[in-house]
């Protein structure tokens, strides 16, 4: 009987969240697209946040955030953290006072409504298997967006976690941070995988906590110390996830 009740709760919770997300897709995104079309990015941001917060509230997803006051308001900032599910962007956006942009797969720009909306917003196009020249061009375009006073989102793993562990880091975001003289703001989601795990059909209402660490100044490292920058960022994220894991798991696996 307990298993049946658990299954019923999971199904009803998922139907609630899927229903709210469908409403966001059919009603919310066209309204957001209109706001982006008529307002500057900073002005549209507050309106978009209200829609996202209403969406999460209706879905029963509560967001708590700690440490955002550590981010220097005048410095170009790149937020780096763990990637849990495709709700991450929506959840993170509700916690930030400054517009957030990021990399967008080339395929996404072909999606009706969503693609033009993301292009106008300023998301930077990048192919999933971009070569070095394309990656460098994407990083240069991202640096221009940073100079406009936005915060840039990078998931250094490059993909969602499948087992809840922090995966290997890719170097592209760290090259961009050094080139743009940006600060890296490590963050971590906890509780997000209980709501939705990659590869699972069910979504459960619940609480997600977003924690931000003290900023790391990329200019203090430079390209010769890029791996040290990666290690320090990884350690900060692990400490936000679980302080006991940081000393043993801080070294990033080398990837391009």
């Amino acid at each position: 009987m307990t298993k049946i009740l658990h299954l019923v709760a999971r199904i009803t919770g998922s139907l609630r969240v899927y229903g709210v997300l469908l409403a966001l897709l059919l009603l919310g995104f066209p309204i957001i697209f209109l706001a982006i079309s008529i307002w500057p990015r900073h002005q549209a941001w507050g309106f978009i946040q209200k829609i996202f917060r209403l969406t999460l509230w209706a879905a029963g997803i509560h967001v708590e955030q700690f440490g955002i006051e550590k981010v220097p308001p005048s410095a170009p900032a790149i937020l780096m953290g763990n990637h849990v599910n495709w709700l991450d962007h929506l959840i993170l956006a509700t916690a930030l006072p400054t517009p957030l942009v990021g990399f967008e797969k080339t395929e996404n720009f072909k999606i009706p409504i969503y693609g033009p909306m993301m292009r106008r917003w300023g998301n930077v196009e990048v192919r999933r298997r971009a070569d070095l020249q394309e990656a460098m061009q994407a990083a240069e375009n991202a640096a221009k967006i940073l100079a406009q006073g936005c915060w840039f989102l990078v998931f250094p793993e490059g993909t969602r976690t499948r087992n809840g562990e922090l995966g290997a880091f890719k170097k592209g975001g760290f090259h961009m941070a050094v080139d743009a003289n940006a600060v890296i703001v490590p963050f971590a989601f906890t509780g997000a995988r209980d709501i939705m795990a990659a590869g699972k059909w069910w979504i459960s209402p619940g609480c997600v906590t977003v924690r931000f660490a003290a900023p790391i100044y990329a200019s203090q490292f430079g390209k010769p110390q890029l791996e040290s920058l990666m290690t320090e960022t990884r350690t900060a994220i692990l400490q936000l996830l679980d302080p006991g894991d940081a000393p043993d798991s801080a070294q990033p696996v080398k990837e391009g």
Side-chain angles (χ1 to χ4, degrees):
M1 179 62 70
T2 302
K3 291 183 178 179
I4 294 176
L5 292 176
H6 181 69
L7 179 61
V8 170
R10 177 168 288 182
I11 292 174
T12 55
S14 295
L15 289 175
R16 173 185 178 181
V17 178
Y18 279 123
V20 172
L21 293 177
L22 180 61
L24 174 65
L25 177 65
L26 298 178
L27 300 175
F29 275 130
I31 295 174
I32 291 173
F33 179 72
L34 180 62
I36 292 174
S37 300
I38 62 178
W39 289 333
R41 186 189 291 116
H42 280 74
Q43 188 173 349
W45 181 244
F47 179 78
I48 293 170
Q49 282 188 308
K50 288 182 174 64
I51 292 180
F52 285 173
R53 286 169 180 162
L54 177 62
T55 299
L56 293 176
W57 172 82
I61 299 174
H62 177 66
V63 180
E64 297 180 339
Q65 63 92 0
F66 301 94
I68 192 64
E69 70 281 353
K70 299 174 183 177
V71 184
S74 59
I78 300 175
L79 277 68
M80 292 193 182
N82 59 323
H83 194 3
V84 182
N85 57 52
W86 47 263
L87 293 173
D88 291 347
H89 301 77
L90 190 152
I91 292 170
L92 186 61
T94 65
L96 302 177
T98 300
L100 182 69
V101 297
F103 291 112
E104 193 82 39
K105 292 185 297 184
T106 298
E107 298 86 344
N108 290 356
F109 287 107
K110 301 176 183 178
I111 300 174
I113 298 180
Y114 179 84
M117 180 170 61
M118 291 299 95
R119 190 177 297 279
R120 178 172 175 81
W121 182 252
N123 279 8
V124 176
E125 180 176 352
V126 62
R127 288 198 309 123
R128 181 183 291 273
R129 293 178 175 85
D131 58 29
L132 179 59
Q133 184 175 356
E134 291 173 322
M136 295 298 291
Q137 182 61 55
E140 183 178 332
N141 294 338
K144 294 177 182 177
I145 296 294
L146 279 168
Q148 296 174 10
C150 292
W151 288 352
F152 206 94
L153 173 62
V154 172
F155 290 118
E157 299 166 277
T159 187
R160 293 171 294 168
T161 180
R162 293 289 171 174
N163 57 10
E165 301 294 328
L166 192 64
F169 281 6
K170 298 183 181 297
K171 295 181 179 179
F174 297 93
H175 281 289
M176 180 178 73
V178 173
D179 290 341
N181 288 322
V183 298
I184 294 175
V185 181
F187 71 89
F189 296 107
T190 54
R193 198 163 185 266
D194 295 330
I195 290 175
M196 182 183 185
K200 305 295 183 181
W201 63 266
W202 52 267
I203 309 177
S204 300
C207 180
V208 179
T209 301
V210 188
R211 293 184 174 88
F212 300 88
I216 299 171
Y217 291 83
S219 60
Q220 296 179 358
F221 291 82
K223 293 297 180 70
Q225 292 81 38
L226 198 68
E227 291 189 14
S228 296
L229 177 60
M230 294 171 66
T231 299
E232 184 163 336
T233 303
R234 186 180 184 86
T235 299
I237 295 172
L238 286 168
Q239 287 175 336
L240 295 172
L241 288 168
D242 186 346
D245 285 347
D248 297 328
S249 309
Q251 292 298 327
V253 177
K254 297 179 182 179
E255 291 196 5

